[in-house]
Amino acid sequence: MITCLLAVSVLGGKSQAQDLLSNVYGRDYQLLNGKWGAIVDLYDQGERMQVYKNRKPQDNKQFYEYSFDGGLVLNVPADFNSQMPELKFYEGTVWYGRSFDTPKTDGKRLFLYFGAVSYRSKIYLNGEKIASHEGGFTPFQVEITDKVKQKDNFLVVKVNNTRTTDAIPAMSFDWWNYGGITRDVMLVSVPQSYIKDHFIQLDKVQSNLIRAKVTLSEAKPGINVQVAIPELGIRQNMTTDANGIAQATIKTKKLQRWSPDAPKLYDVTITSESDRLNEQIGFRNLYVKGEDIYLNDQPIFLRSISFHEEIPQRRGRAFSEADATMLLSEAKELGANMIRLAHYPQNEYTVRLAERMGFLLWEEIPIWQGIDFKNTATREKAGRMIKEMVISDKNRCSVAFWGIANETATSAPRNEFLKHMKQCCLDIDSTRLITAAFDLVRFNRESRDFEMNDSIINILDMVAINKYMGWYHDWPLAPDQAVWNVAPGKPLFISEFGGEALYGKHGDAEVKSSWSEDYQAQLYKDNLEMFKHIPNLRGTSPWILLDFRSPFRFHPHQGGEWNRKGLVSDQGQRKKAWYIMRDYYNQQNNEAQNKTLHGCPPPDLYGLERACPRKE
Ligand code: GCU
């Protein structure tokens, strides 16, 4: 089995495993956000010219054909495409540079942390290359303790968003290829010996056992570590093993389990002999039994919605708390209890706010359609990216699913690739449910039902299907006759359905090419009718919350760059289908509430006793 490497190339390009600092926002940090000098390097000449040295003429005879001063200025964080019209379609290299003074660290260690840089980057500090990273949607860091001066450090980031066949995503994908330093940049200081990683959560099944694992920066045994959860009266002492890892199973009783309806988070403090880290953690049970998904021992129906990490009104990447609030508030109004964060890991503001607001999350890396599954280097790259995602968000109880692919075609190399992705997730987190979205359901004209023949579903906890009935596929029979026989014995989730509509365009409810709200509304009604005939359906996720930008889309209705499948327009206006979906989710929620009131937990799972709640 190929191991799943976690590697940020540092020290001039040699790979070394470098775990991500856990919970940087709970650390002592300084943001390097703001206005950076920038150079658009259309022919990729900057390395030859050594722009990363940021040299200035020292006498009358010297000159340099670049400068980070007095020229282009770009905002960080933000994609560069939305910052000036000339960069709207730009794919290539942009150099960013800025100076900074080192925060007072009195003997602490200093890390440079990037929330994300899209798509590939090289990091230079004071003229020296210190790191490189590939992947536009996961954080990475590099230690700079011994590389910084007190004053006037100069940081240069080479960013390139050119698509390549071995990239993830590869050459074509249905969203805008935003490039740039698209998330926060931080200087994070930690003690010499610090808490490098922690993983604290409720057991998958047992509601009275908290599993805690704390990893220190030094692989030394016998160091005292404590996990405290004051509200639960927990102060669990542990000691590290020879790998610097301390772990414990903590018994608790009076726990309020996190759920979308009651997103309870607890203050957790992790201390070692030299470090202290504060966290907010939710505790919930999550498992699959048969065709049901159980959250806190109750079967749950996933009222999901997807959104891209994009604010359509400003035609750019979302990156802030305010952006997260806009997107998640719109999802809450829809009555959703889950978000499929499409098609890539999204920023920490969104993930943490979703947890606070009460959304389950499906997170995925952009293994989207045409990936070079035969390329082992691509497989290792994908393994690293998926591990960066899992390491970053494994303490977020709202994360329920790790998604390992979207719309991949059946093949042996694809199967091996996806098994590797699943293993990379399980290596770090054996608790989340593994899923993937497929567009392989076909109508069988003999048996008159919808089927999928692909053995890959056997490795999944939940099978997800993208199916555009009424849009890419016409109805072979009336929606109320459409019976599905897909993945019997497993929970099935409709991870995408829908069609395009221009907000404000009405009439022509029968005409697909009208792009009318009425056509889209009827399409939604028809699909919701079909969903009643999917016996193992356990959730739906319309594609998509908001109209979004895509170079795939050429029609005037699409304005030459918009995918109009949003329930909400690019200006935030709700289309007719939004109200249809909102009513459907409200109905699902009411039914679930009734069941919970009078239901009992499932038959004993893993032989655990459960008291059935008192009948109302
Ligand atoms: C696919 C894909 C989406 C895409 C959608 C569409 O299912 O997963 O990323 O945007 O179809 O065509 O609108």
Side-chain angles (χ1 to χ4, degrees):
M1 188 223 12
I2 296 179
T3 52
C4 307
L5 288 176
L6 176 78
V8 174
S9 310
V10 293
L11 306 176
K14 290 186 291 299
S15 281
Q16 70 179 53
Q18 175 133 3
D19 293 345
L20 287 163
L21 282 166
S22 47
N23 189 18
V24 281
Y25 288 91
R27 285 265 177 214
D28 180 9
Y29 69 87
Q30 171 188 322
L31 285 173
L32 292 183
N33 293 350
K35 304 273 184 205
W36 290 43
I39 295 167
V40 178
D41 183 358
L42 194 55
Y43 293 158
D44 224 341
Q45 295 300 304
E47 287 196 40
R48 177 184 64 77
M49 297 164 72
Q50 299 185 320
V51 301
Y52 48 85
K53 291 188 174 176
N54 188 36
R55 285 180 292 195
K56 310 283 186 212
Q58 299 304 306
D59 59 37
N60 296 342
K61 298 191 179 63
Q62 281 190 346
F63 81 98
Y64 296 100
E65 291 197 63
Y66 68 86
S67 170
F68 283 99
D69 304 325
L72 178 63
V73 173
L74 290 178
N75 293 322
V76 170
D79 64 274
F80 51 65
N81 307 85
S82 59
Q83 295 197 49
M84 50 193 291
E86 297 81 356
L87 292 179
K88 172 178 175 178
F89 293 103
Y90 185 67
E91 293 187 338
T93 292
V94 174
W95 293 85
Y96 290 76
R98 66 158 288 169
S99 63
F100 69 91
D101 297 340
T102 302
K104 289 274 166 288
T105 54
D106 47 53
K108 289 192 174 177
R109 297 170 69 168
L110 197 57
F111 286 83
L112 185 56
Y113 180 95
F114 293 87
V117 180
S118 183
Y119 166 81
R120 56 183 70 77
S121 54
K122 291 181 180 176
I123 316 298
Y124 303 82
L125 181 62
N126 300 326
E128 177 202 349
K129 182 181 168 193
I130 58 171
S132 61
H133 183 264
E134 181 176 349
F137 305 100
T138 46
F140 62 99
Q141 67 189 41
V142 56
E143 183 165 6
I144 58 172
T145 311
D146 303 330
K147 300 178 183 346
V148 287
K149 308 175 286 187
Q150 275 305 317
K151 289 273 186 199
D152 296 333
N153 297 282
F154 203 79
L155 173 61
V156 172
V157 180
K158 177 184 181 184
V159 180
N160 179 283
N161 69 329
T162 304
R163 288 162 296 116
T164 58
T165 52
D166 67 340
I168 295 164
M171 290 304 288
S172 64
F173 37 89
D174 193 17
W175 63 87
W176 207 260
N177 180 26
Y178 292 112
I181 303 177
T182 48
R183 294 182 195 161
D184 287 345
V185 182
M186 307 155 88
L187 289 172
V188 186
S189 60
V190 296
Q192 281 298 326
S193 169
Y194 62 94
I195 297 162
K196 180 163 82 169
D197 186 67
H198 66 280
F199 192 9
I200 300 171
Q201 61 173 319
L202 198 59
D203 181 80
K204 272 180 80 161
V205 173
Q206 302 182 72
S207 59
N208 64 340
L209 296 181
I210 291 175
R211 310 279 186 199
K213 178 180 178 183
V214 177
T215 305
L216 302 187
S217 54
E218 288 171 309
K220 274 168 70 176
I223 300 175
N224 296 318
V225 172
Q226 184 185 82
V227 170
I229 312 175
E231 201 177 335
L232 296 176
I234 290 173
R235 301 180 76 78
Q236 177 68 40
N237 294 315
M238 317 181 260
T239 53
T240 56
D241 61 17
N243 297 314
I245 297 173
Q247 22 197 355
T249 297
I250 306 167
K251 263 192 179 296
T252 180
K253 41 186 182 305
K254 51 183 167 49
L255 188 60
Q256 184 188 334
R257 291 183 288 183
W258 181 95
S259 74
D261 294 333
K264 167 72 177 171
L265 299 177
Y266 285 89
D267 289 329
V268 178
T269 300
I270 308 155
T271 47
S272 70
E273 293 170 9
S274 56
D275 194 9
R276 177 190 180 88
L277 183 62
N278 296 316
E279 251 284 22
Q280 283 227 309
I281 294 182
F283 299 102
R284 51 101 184 98
N285 298 117
L286 178 73
Y287 51 83
V288 164
K289 183 170 172 50
E291 296 181 343
D292 288 313
I293 300 163
Y294 286 90
L295 177 70
N296 299 335
D297 303 324
Q298 293 296 334
I300 188 168
F301 187 85
L302 304 171
R303 309 190 307 271
S304 180
I305 188 70
S306 282
F307 52 67
H308 272 290
E309 189 174 52
E310 180 184 71
I311 302 300
Q313 292 87 336
R314 75 164 180 260
R315 298 177 179 221
R317 275 263 168 266
F319 55 78
S320 66
E321 181 93 38
D323 292 341
T325 303
M326 187 282 272
L327 293 167
L328 290 165
S329 301
E330 189 61 49
K332 190 58 88 175
E333 291 286 305
L334 188 68
N337 65 4
M338 175 164 144
I339 309 287
R340 180 190 175 197
L341 291 175
H343 279 290
Y344 35 74
Q346 300 196 15
N347 64 75
E348 188 155 344
Y349 295 111
T350 297
V351 173
R352 284 188 179 268
L353 183 58
E355 186 175 60
R356 291 200 301 273
M357 289 176 69
F359 290 101
L360 290 161
L361 292 177
W362 160 328
E363 293 194 23
E364 61 188 85
I365 65 169
I367 296 177
W368 191 91
Q369 295 185 4
I371 298 286
D372 185 357
F373 292 119
K374 295 191 180 79
N375 182 328
T376 47
T378 303
R379 180 164 57 187
E380 283 322 299
K381 192 185 298 181
R384 174 177 53 72
M385 288 180 191
I386 210 162
K387 291 195 100 167
E388 287 172 348
M389 173 179 77
V390 174
I391 285 172
S392 297
D393 293 341
K394 63 186 183 291
N395 285 298
R396 308 278 67 81
C397 69
S398 51
V399 177
F401 302 94
W402 299 125
I404 58 174
N406 184 70
E407 300 194 348
T408 56
T410 305
S411 78
R414 177 265 253 152
N415 291 355
E416 287 316 300
F417 197 103
L418 297 195
K419 285 173 188 167
H420 181 60
M421 291 302 102
K422 174 178 177 180
Q423 191 55 52
C424 288
C425 293
L426 298 182
D427 281 356
I428 297 169
D429 167 25
S430 59
T431 68
R432 269 23 178 252
L433 303 176
I434 302 293
T435 188
F438 298 95
D439 59 346
L440 299 172
V441 166
R442 296 290 176 269
F443 181 69
N444 182 320
R445 295 201 173 279
E446 283 67 51
S447 57
R448 312 279 302 156
D449 66 359
F450 288 84
E451 300 172 350
M452 174 177 167
N453 299 309
D454 190 314
S455 62
I456 196 67
I457 60 175
N458 298 327
I459 73 168
L460 304 175
D461 296 304
M462 177 176 83
V463 177
I465 301 297
N466 298 348
K467 192 67 182 170
Y468 286 88
M469 293 310 298
W471 191 253
Y472 296 126
H473 306 287
D474 293 329
W475 292 95
L477 73 183
D480 63 359
Q481 303 299 312
V483 176
W484 283 45
N485 180 18
V486 177
K490 284 182 181 275
L492 188 131
F493 178 72
I494 300 291
S495 37
E496 291 182 33
F497 71 97
E500 302 210 22
L502 264 175
Y503 174 78
K505 195 150 190 323
H506 297 295
D508 295 330
E510 307 296 316
V511 182
K512 197 182 284 188
S513 59
S514 67
W515 254 263
S516 76
E517 284 192 50
D518 301 277
Y519 184 88
Q520 186 190 44
Q522 186 55 52
L523 179 148
Y524 267 76
K525 287 174 190 163
D526 292 344
N527 276 274
L528 296 182
E529 175 56 44
M530 172 174 70
F531 295 160
K532 294 176 188 170
H533 310 280
I534 304 180
N536 54 335
L537 181 72
R538 296 298 177 269
T540 57
S541 197
W543 188 259
I544 186 169
L545 183 62
L546 288 149
D547 289 354
F548 63 96
R549 297 176 71 206
S550 166
F552 267 27
R553 309 293 163 173
F554 312 133
H555 192 288
H557 287 335
Q558 298 166 318
E561 62 183 65
W562 293 97
N563 184 315
R564 298 286 188 196
K565 293 194 183 67
L567 290 172
V568 179
S569 77
D570 58 292
Q571 293 305 311
Q573 304 140 315
R574 292 169 180 171
K575 303 172 191 174
K576 283 186 173 181
W578 185 93
Y579 297 91
I580 293 169
M581 207 60 217
R582 188 271 315 269
D583 294 348
Y584 174 73
Y585 277 170
N586 284 350
Q587 178 203 345
Q588 288 290 342
N589 191 24
N590 295 337
E591 284 175 15
Q593 299 292 348
N594 293 334
K595 270 188 209 149
T596 306
L597 274 177
H598 304 298
C600 265
D604 281 347
L605 192 67
Y606 302 80
L608 298 166
E609 286 310 307
R610 287 267 192 297
C612 185
R614 198 170 26 81
K615 290 274 183 236
E616 298 302 312

